[in-house]
Every structure is written in C-alpha cells, then in structure tokens.
Amino acid sequence: MSRRQREAAPLRAARRVRGEAEQAAQRVDASKDAYIWYDHKTDVRQTLSFSNAHKNACSLAALVRAVGVVSGALDDLTSDKSLIAGLLLKRTAALPISQLGIFKAGATFVPLDPTWPLERRQFMVEDAGCKQLVARTAHLAEFAMFGVTTLALD
C-alpha cells in the first residue's frame, strides 16, 4: 500500500460513514430516541430523537462549512481545501452529534480529549493540519495563537 493510499484511508472511511448516516436517517422513525444518556452529576436521564439529532448535526455542518470546510472536499484528495477539523469535546451527547455534523460538512475530524495535556493537543492539531477546531468555549483560547479557526458549541 502506497503512502497516498494510507493517508487517504481515513477520508474514504469518513465518506462511507457520511453516506451510511444519510441512508439510516431515511429509514428510521424520526420520533424515536437516537441517543440516550444518563448524567451522573444531575441524576437525570436525557434523550435526543433522531430528528433532533439530524437537525443539530445539519446545523453544525453549516457552521463548519462557514468557517472554511468545503462540502465535497473529501472527494478530491489533491485539493488544498480544508479536510480535517479538530474536535475537542468531553464524552457527552454532543460528541456523536458533532462527529456526524463534521461528516455532513464533508470533512473528517481529529478527536482531542480535554483531559490530555495542552502540549499534546496542540501537537496533534498542528501535525494533522487542522484549520478548524470545534470545542466548548472554555477550550478555545488555548488554540487562538495557532491560527486555527475556532467554533464554539456553547
């Protein structure tokens, strides 16, 4: 396998997931719960329906495109368009919705855990060539000096 093929593998996978998500959205009952999670801090069970998850992901996709990711950029691997966004979120219900939104925008993402040391997260953003970062407001200032366009989910 050539270097170009190895580098293109995550982008092909993102394109496949994007297509599968679109097909699944057409087959399911929109009123059913897509995500169910339990918040241990507030002792509350929360749900999100398929239709609301889809709306939230589409809204995020539009915002991600607005800050520089071009729809369809995954189809042209030689393009200089932005293909990769950093995703800096805790493991909450916002994470899968954000992942789907980035896929819908035509990009892929680099997962960044807020508990990792700042130097590691900054290295990963630089090394992956991320030009956009999706995160909570509390984490955006950490990347301001790197010329990364940030998008707050708050």
Side-chain angles (χ1 to χ4, degrees), residues 37-111:
W37 68 99
Y38 184 77
D39 186 346
H40 295 284
K41 291 180 182 176
T42 61
D43 199 34
V44 174
R45 178 181 180 267
Q46 299 176 338
T47 62
L48 187 63
S49 70
F50 278 101
S51 61
N52 285 339
H54 180 70
K55 287 177 190 172
N56 290 346
C58 287
S59 297
L60 178 61
L63 291 172
V64 169
R65 282 188 205 114
V67 296
V69 173
V70 179
S71 179
L74 287 176
D75 300 326
D76 181 10
L77 299 178
T78 62
S79 171
D80 63 348
K81 299 172 187 170
S82 181
L83 299 172
I84 302 172
L87 184 58
L88 177 61
L89 293 174
K90 291 181 181 178
R91 294 179 184 183
T92 64
L95 185 59
I97 302 299
S98 300
Q99 292 168 337
L100 183 58
I102 290 171
F103 285 149
K104 284 177 171 281
T108 189
F109 63 91
V110 173

